[in-house]
Amino acid sequence: MLKAKAGGGGNCFLMMQDGQVYGPMGSELTLKYSARSEDPELISMAKKAGLSVGTLNRLISLCRRLDTRALTAAQLAEGFGITLRSARRIMAALEKYELATIVGEEQPVGRGRPRQIYALHIDGFF
C-alpha cells in the first residue's frame, strides 16, 4: 500500500506471499521481481553496493523487460518511477563497486548534456 501511495497517480502493486511483486499494474512497464532472495551472490552484490536485494531484482526485471543490459539513469528513473537524481545515485553505486561501467553516451533530444549509458555486470541473473 505504501509503495502504491508513494508512486502517486493511482499506482497499484501486487505483492504475493512468496515475495513476488508485480507492478505498477496497468503500466507499459509493469515489472515482476522478488522483494527477497536466498541467493548468496545476489545478497553479496546488494550489500557491496549498499542497495537492497529488491532493488537489484527490480533492476534485473527492468533490463529483461527492456531486453537490454545497458541503460541510462533516465531509463532507470522512468522504469522505477523515481527521480533522475535517485536513479543517478543507484547507477553511481553500481559503477563504484564495478557492477556497472559506462560504455557510451547519448545526446538527449534538444538541449542538455549527454546521458551516460551504463552496462550492467550482474552476470548469471539475466
Side-chain angles (χ1 to χ4, degrees):
M1 295 282 282
L2 291 173
K3 186 166 191 56
K5 188 176 178 181
N11 286 316
C12 177
F13 290 82
L14 179 62
M15 185 164 187
M16 307 303 283
Q17 287 180 333
D18 66 356
Q20 288 293 316
V21 179
Y22 300 87
M25 304 305 284
S27 167
E28 289 181 24
L29 280 177
T30 298
L31 302 178
K32 174 188 172 189
Y33 59 94
S34 179
R36 31 174 115 152
S37 177
E38 294 177 8
D39 185 314
E41 187 178 351
L42 188 65
I43 294 168
S44 174
M45 281 189 266
K47 285 183 180 178
K48 184 177 171 182
L51 300 170
S52 72
V53 168
T55 298
L56 284 186
N57 279 332
R58 196 170 171 193
L59 180 61
I60 292 165
S61 178
L62 177 63
C63 288
R64 285 180 182 155
R65 183 85 163 111
L66 298 174
D67 194 28
T68 185
R69 286 181 147 198
L71 49 109
T72 65
Q75 289 172 305
L76 179 64
E78 182 181 341
F80 277 22
I82 60 176
T83 65
L84 187 54
R85 184 175 182 176
S86 293
R88 283 186 181 133
R89 278 193 208 123
I90 291 170
M91 297 310 278
L94 292 170
E95 182 186 18
K96 180 177 180 181
Y97 295 102
E98 299 177 351
L99 298 173
T101 54
I102 298 171
V103 294
E105 60 181 42
E106 70 177 13
Q107 183 65 42
V109 176
R111 299 172 59 176
R113 63 176 135 150
R115 298 177 183 155
Q116 296 175 324
I117 301 170
Y118 295 86
L120 300 175
H121 306 296
I122 308 174
D123 298 327
F125 297 99
F126 288 97

